[in-house]
Amino acid sequence: MQIRGIPVNLKLNNTVLMIASLIVSILVGIILGFVGTGRGVYAMLYTVGMAYLKLLLLLALPLVVLNLVSGVILRLQLRADGSAPARLCFFHGIAVFGAAILGLVAGGIAGSAQIPAAFAGFGDFGLRWLRPAMPWALLLSVLVGAAAAKIGPEGEETRRLFFSLADVSAFAGTLLLRLLPVGLFFLLCPMVATRGMAVLWPGVKLALVTAFCCAAYGVLVYGYQLRHCGKDCPAHFLRNFKLVLLQAFAVCASDSGEGDALRSLRRMGIAEETGRAAWRCGKLLGKTGTVLYLGIACMLAARYVGMPVSEFSGGGFFVWILLFSLAGMNYRGSGLYCALFLLFMLGLPLRAAVPLLLFEWMLDGMRSALNAAAAGTGAYLADKLDWMKR
């Protein structure tokens, strides 16, 4: 492509398409509301958007279950081959535990203004008969994963089957997310036309709260831990690891830059074998960004639809979020699929998931960047504090 005789290479990546879809949806919604388009047109657009959202949900159910099985298998294999020392596992376990608490507290404090449903006929997922089985499906997935890991060499084919199914479902999830700009248009356009710009506020609040919490957790928790290796260690780590964090944010996948991460760790004086083992352990165990995002999204979505949240239900949210952290999911959209599964299991109406789609690329990027920071910090501390020695 040439502009005024100058060759220009334009690449429409996911971020550009999502931003363009958001802007176009708002403009078209404002225009439709101004000219007074009939409610039948809004309902038709909204029906298409809800159909896409239901496709995301239907894929989320097997995707999360299969990745939970494979994640449990990988965790038990890490412990069996001795590549995950107890001190490193404890570090990531405490970090994930704290991130889950922070996410729920931050989401509960921020809250969200309740916005009435634009179309009352679309108030539920339409899959009520599946909902009571979801908690048991998650617990059964953990049991199946533990059995597949413990059965020994004769279970190798079964383990490969679960890994293959999890990879196929993950690839299908990334393919379906390519249509998210289109689905967002059909959802957001009629909502803006009927309710105005107020429908954007829950999504904006979710993005702002998540950004603040991810930055604060990274600086206060991981930065403080790095100071145990010296006062200059946080700055030294960030200087050498910032490109890895930016890449994880840009592609929304914490394990996309493993080669760059290992090279950055070597520049910081970490042996290749130690860095590789600790990095892969951190990718699987250090899901702080995922559980932080799930906690905030869960609470804000509940407040968005007017669902009361008691201390008992908050404790239930906490348990399920920690269970989701066992899943071996590091690809684009994994946070969104986990959130959809969680919201469905909690019995929230379908419109509760709409704010999660507005800034999905940003939320997924922040989640992935914090996961990468967790894995890199764990590798740095494991080498400098001799955690890898057995």
Side-chain angles (χ1 to χ4, degrees):
M1 178 180 180
Q2 290 189 350
I3 300 178
R4 296 176 180 257
I6 302 175
V8 177
N9 184 20
L10 295 178
K11 184 178 180 181
L12 296 178
N13 56 26
N14 177 69
T15 301
V16 174
L17 290 175
M18 285 298 299
I19 295 175
S21 175
L22 182 64
I23 295 174
V24 171
S25 301
I26 295 172
L27 293 177
V28 174
I30 292 174
I31 293 173
L32 291 179
F34 180 76
V35 300
T37 305
R39 191 172 179 81
V41 176
Y42 301 150
M44 181 182 65
L45 295 173
Y46 201 68
T47 301
V48 177
M50 284 293 141
Y52 175 73
L53 192 50
K54 285 188 178 181
L55 284 178
L56 289 175
L57 170 69
L58 288 173
L59 182 57
L61 302 182
L63 188 150
V64 172
V65 168
L66 289 171
N67 280 273
L68 186 56
V69 173
S70 63
V72 172
I73 294 174
L74 290 173
R75 283 170 176 262
L76 293 178
Q77 286 181 340
L78 277 179
R79 297 301 301 269
D81 61 20
S83 58
R87 284 174 289 185
L88 185 57
C89 293
F90 179 76
F91 167 76
H92 286 303
I94 292 297
V96 167
F97 189 88
I101 295 176
L102 175 62
L104 290 171
V105 172
I109 293 175
S112 183
Q114 182 179 355
I115 297 177
F119 302 91
F122 298 90
D124 193 83
F125 284 106
L127 299 169
R128 299 181 196 176
W129 58 275
L130 267 178
R131 185 172 295 128
M134 290 301 99
W136 303 108
L138 292 180
L139 296 177
L140 185 60
S141 301
V142 175
L143 179 61
V144 171
K150 294 290 187 179
I151 197 172
E154 60 272 20
E156 186 59 33
E157 292 186 6
T158 302
R159 289 190 287 270
R160 285 201 300 266
L161 175 63
F162 279 120
F163 291 149
S164 298
L165 290 174
D167 290 340
V168 169
S169 64
F171 184 68
T174 57
L175 290 180
L176 187 56
L177 281 179
R178 293 181 182 179
L179 298 176
L180 184 55
V182 179
L184 179 63
F185 171 81
F186 284 102
L187 282 171
L188 188 58
C189 178
M191 292 178 66
V192 172
T194 56
R195 299 296 179 185
M197 298 293 288
V199 298
L200 300 176
W201 176 235
V204 172
K205 183 180 287 189
L206 175 61
L208 292 176
V209 173
T210 304
F212 175 80
C213 290
C214 285
Y217 202 81
V219 172
L220 299 178
V221 176
Y222 291 127
Y224 173 77
Q225 292 296 327
L226 288 169
R227 286 181 63 88
H228 286 89
C229 302
K231 291 184 178 181
D232 298 330
C233 286
H236 179 240
F237 175 83
L238 183 60
R239 192 163 50 246
N240 288 278
F241 216 70
K242 62 182 178 182
L243 293 179
V244 179
L245 301 181
L246 290 175
Q247 183 177 1
F249 177 82
V251 301
C252 302
S254 57
D255 62 347
S256 61
E258 180 173 345
D260 293 333
L262 296 178
R263 283 190 290 270
S264 298
L265 293 174
R266 285 197 298 270
R267 286 197 299 269
M268 290 184 279
I270 299 175
E272 182 174 359
E273 182 179 356
T274 300
R276 186 181 301 275
W279 168 259
R280 291 183 174 176
C281 178
K283 281 196 310 178
L284 187 62
L285 305 181
K287 299 295 182 63
T288 52
T290 300
V291 299
L292 182 62
Y293 162 71
L294 287 178
I296 298 171
C298 176
M299 295 298 292
L300 286 179
R303 298 292 181 87
Y304 173 62
V305 297
M307 174 183 174
V309 180
S310 62
E311 294 181 358
F312 178 78
S313 57
F317 295 169
F318 176 75
V319 172
W320 292 119
I321 288 171
L322 288 182
L323 186 62
F324 275 91
S325 69
L326 299 178
M329 304 167 69
N330 292 303
Y331 45 84
R332 179 179 177 254
S334 56
L336 175 62
Y337 285 115
C338 285
L340 288 174
F341 193 110
L342 183 59
L343 296 182
F344 171 72
M345 189 174 64
L346 296 175
L348 297 181
L350 184 57
R351 62 189 176 92
V354 174
L356 278 61
L357 305 181
L358 298 182
F359 301 98
E360 182 272 339
W361 59 272
M362 184 185 299
L363 296 168
D364 216 14
M366 292 184 291
R367 174 193 65 81
S368 300
L370 188 57
N371 286 344
T377 302
Y380 189 94
L381 294 173
D383 180 78
K384 303 304 180 184
L385 302 180
D386 295 329
W387 289 352
M388 303 300 290
K389 291 183 178 180
R390 292 182 285 273

Short mmCIF file of all heavy atoms in Angstrom, two decimals, residues 213-237:
data_model
loop_
_atom_site.label_atom_id
_atom_site.label_comp_id
_atom_site.label_asym_id
_atom_site.label_seq_id
_atom_site.Cartn_x
_atom_site.Cartn_y
_atom_site.Cartn_z
N CYS A 213 -4.36 -2.39 40.24
CA CYS A 213 -4.02 -3.52 41.11
C CYS A 213 -2.84 -4.31 40.57
O CYS A 213 -1.97 -4.75 41.33
CB CYS A 213 -5.23 -4.43 41.29
SG CYS A 213 -6.55 -3.71 42.29
N CYS A 214 -2.76 -4.51 39.25
CA CYS A 214 -1.63 -5.23 38.66
C CYS A 214 -0.33 -4.47 38.88
O CYS A 214 0.69 -5.05 39.27
CB CYS A 214 -1.87 -5.46 37.17
SG CYS A 214 -3.07 -6.76 36.79
N ALA A 215 -0.37 -3.15 38.65
CA ALA A 215 0.83 -2.34 38.86
C ALA A 215 1.23 -2.32 40.33
O ALA A 215 2.41 -2.47 40.68
CB ALA A 215 0.60 -0.93 38.34
N ALA A 216 0.25 -2.14 41.22
CA ALA A 216 0.55 -2.09 42.65
C ALA A 216 1.08 -3.43 43.15
O ALA A 216 2.04 -3.47 43.93
CB ALA A 216 -0.72 -1.69 43.43
N TYR A 217 0.48 -4.52 42.71
CA TYR A 217 0.94 -5.83 43.17
C TYR A 217 2.35 -6.13 42.66
O TYR A 217 3.18 -6.67 43.39
CB TYR A 217 -0.03 -6.91 42.69
CG TYR A 217 0.04 -8.18 43.52
CD1 TYR A 217 -0.63 -8.27 44.72
CD2 TYR A 217 0.79 -9.27 43.09
CE1 TYR A 217 -0.57 -9.41 45.49
CE2 TYR A 217 0.86 -10.42 43.85
CZ TYR A 217 0.18 -10.49 45.05
OH TYR A 217 0.25 -11.63 45.82
N GLY A 218 2.60 -5.76 41.40
CA GLY A 218 3.93 -5.99 40.85
C GLY A 218 5.00 -5.21 41.59
O GLY A 218 6.08 -5.74 41.88
N VAL A 219 4.71 -3.95 41.92
CA VAL A 219 5.71 -3.10 42.57
C VAL A 219 5.86 -3.46 44.05
O VAL A 219 6.97 -3.66 44.55
CB VAL A 219 5.33 -1.61 42.41
CG1 VAL A 219 6.24 -0.73 43.24
CG2 VAL A 219 5.40 -1.22 40.94
N LEU A 220 4.73 -3.54 44.76
CA LEU A 220 4.78 -3.72 46.21
C LEU A 220 5.16 -5.14 46.61
O LEU A 220 5.91 -5.32 47.59
CB LEU A 220 3.43 -3.35 46.83
CG LEU A 220 2.99 -1.90 46.62
CD1 LEU A 220 1.62 -1.67 47.24
CD2 LEU A 220 4.01 -0.94 47.22
N VAL A 221 4.67 -6.13 45.90
CA VAL A 221 4.95 -7.52 46.29
C VAL A 221 6.23 -8.02 45.64
O VAL A 221 7.19 -8.40 46.34
CB VAL A 221 3.76 -8.43 45.92
CG1 VAL A 221 4.08 -9.89 46.22
CG2 VAL A 221 2.52 -8.01 46.70
N TYR A 222 6.28 -8.02 44.32
CA TYR A 222 7.47 -8.56 43.65
C TYR A 222 8.67 -7.63 43.79
O TYR A 222 9.81 -8.08 43.94
CB TYR A 222 7.16 -8.83 42.19
CG TYR A 222 6.19 -9.98 42.00
CD1 TYR A 222 5.04 -9.84 41.26
CD2 TYR A 222 6.43 -11.21 42.61
CE1 TYR A 222 4.15 -10.88 41.11
CE2 TYR A 222 5.55 -12.25 42.47
CZ TYR A 222 4.42 -12.09 41.72
OH TYR A 222 3.52 -13.13 41.57
N GLY A 223 8.41 -6.31 43.76
CA GLY A 223 9.51 -5.39 43.99
C GLY A 223 10.10 -5.53 45.38
O GLY A 223 11.32 -5.50 45.57
N TYR A 224 9.24 -5.71 46.38
CA TYR A 224 9.72 -5.91 47.76
C TYR A 224 10.51 -7.21 47.89
O TYR A 224 11.55 -7.24 48.56
CB TYR A 224 8.54 -5.91 48.72
CG TYR A 224 8.91 -6.26 50.14
CD1 TYR A 224 9.52 -5.32 50.98
CD2 TYR A 224 8.65 -7.53 50.65
CE1 TYR A 224 9.86 -5.65 52.27
CE2 TYR A 224 9.00 -7.87 51.95
CZ TYR A 224 9.60 -6.92 52.75
OH TYR A 224 9.95 -7.25 54.03
N GLN A 225 10.03 -8.27 47.25
CA GLN A 225 10.75 -9.54 47.32
C GLN A 225 12.13 -9.45 46.67
O GLN A 225 13.10 -10.04 47.15
CB GLN A 225 9.92 -10.64 46.65
CG GLN A 225 8.65 -11.00 47.39
CD GLN A 225 8.91 -11.59 48.77
OE1 GLN A 225 9.91 -12.28 48.99
NE2 GLN A 225 8.02 -11.29 49.71
N LEU A 226 12.21 -8.71 45.57
CA LEU A 226 13.49 -8.56 44.89
C LEU A 226 14.51 -7.80 45.73
O LEU A 226 15.72 -7.99 45.59
CB LEU A 226 13.30 -7.86 43.55
CG LEU A 226 12.62 -8.69 42.45
CD1 LEU A 226 12.25 -7.81 41.27
CD2 LEU A 226 13.53 -9.82 41.99
N ARG A 227 14.04 -6.95 46.63
CA ARG A 227 14.96 -6.20 47.48
C ARG A 227 15.70 -7.11 48.46
O ARG A 227 16.70 -6.68 49.05
CB ARG A 227 14.19 -5.11 48.24
CG ARG A 227 13.80 -3.93 47.37
CD ARG A 227 13.06 -2.88 48.18
NE ARG A 227 13.92 -2.31 49.23
CZ ARG A 227 14.73 -1.27 49.05
NH1 ARG A 227 14.80 -0.69 47.86
NH2 ARG A 227 15.45 -0.81 50.04
N HIS A 228 15.22 -8.33 48.66
CA HIS A 228 15.95 -9.26 49.51
C HIS A 228 17.30 -9.64 48.91
O HIS A 228 18.19 -10.13 49.61
CB HIS A 228 15.12 -10.54 49.74
CG HIS A 228 13.98 -10.34 50.69
ND1 HIS A 228 12.73 -9.93 50.28
CD2 HIS A 228 13.90 -10.49 52.03
CE1 HIS A 228 11.93 -9.85 51.32
NE2 HIS A 228 12.60 -10.18 52.40
N CYS A 229 17.44 -9.43 47.59
CA CYS A 229 18.71 -9.72 46.93
C CYS A 229 19.59 -8.49 46.83
O CYS A 229 20.72 -8.57 46.34
CB CYS A 229 18.45 -10.27 45.52
SG CYS A 229 17.44 -11.76 45.48
N GLY A 230 19.11 -7.34 47.27
CA GLY A 230 19.88 -6.11 47.20
C GLY A 230 18.98 -4.93 46.85
O GLY A 230 17.94 -5.10 46.21
N LYS A 231 19.39 -3.74 47.26
CA LYS A 231 18.55 -2.55 47.04
C LYS A 231 18.38 -2.24 45.56
O LYS A 231 17.36 -1.68 45.15
CB LYS A 231 19.16 -1.35 47.75
CG LYS A 231 19.10 -1.43 49.27
CD LYS A 231 19.64 -0.17 49.91
CE LYS A 231 19.52 -0.23 51.43
NZ LYS A 231 20.03 1.01 52.07
N ASP A 232 19.39 -2.55 44.74
CA ASP A 232 19.32 -2.23 43.33
C ASP A 232 18.67 -3.34 42.50
O ASP A 232 18.53 -3.18 41.27
CB ASP A 232 20.73 -1.97 42.78
CG ASP A 232 21.39 -0.77 43.44
OD1 ASP A 232 20.64 0.15 43.85
OD2 ASP A 232 22.62 -0.75 43.57
N CYS A 233 18.30 -4.43 43.12
CA CYS A 233 17.79 -5.58 42.35
C CYS A 233 16.46 -5.31 41.65
O CYS A 233 16.28 -5.74 40.51
CB CYS A 233 17.68 -6.80 43.26
SG CYS A 233 19.29 -7.53 43.64
N PRO A 234 15.48 -4.62 42.28
CA PRO A 234 14.24 -4.34 41.53
C PRO A 234 14.49 -3.56 40.25
O PRO A 234 13.92 -3.90 39.20
CB PRO A 234 13.41 -3.54 42.54
CG PRO A 234 13.90 -3.98 43.87
CD PRO A 234 15.37 -4.20 43.69
N ALA A 235 15.31 -2.52 40.31
CA ALA A 235 15.60 -1.74 39.11
C ALA A 235 16.39 -2.57 38.10
O ALA A 235 16.14 -2.48 36.88
CB ALA A 235 16.39 -0.48 39.49
N HIS A 236 17.32 -3.39 38.60
CA HIS A 236 18.10 -4.24 37.71
C HIS A 236 17.20 -5.26 37.00
O HIS A 236 17.34 -5.51 35.79
CB HIS A 236 19.18 -4.96 38.53
CG HIS A 236 20.04 -5.88 37.73
ND1 HIS A 236 20.12 -7.23 37.98
CD2 HIS A 236 20.83 -5.64 36.66
CE1 HIS A 236 20.94 -7.80 37.12
NE2 HIS A 236 21.39 -6.85 36.30
N PHE A 237 16.27 -5.83 37.73
CA PHE A 237 15.36 -6.81 37.14
C PHE A 237 14.47 -6.15 36.10
O PHE A 237 14.30 -6.67 34.99
CB PHE A 237 14.50 -7.44 38.24
CG PHE A 237 13.44 -8.37 37.73
CD1 PHE A 237 13.75 -9.69 37.43
CD2 PHE A 237 12.15 -7.93 37.54
CE1 PHE A 237 12.77 -10.55 36.94
CE2 PHE A 237 11.17 -8.78 37.07
CZ PHE A 237 11.47 -10.10 36.76
#
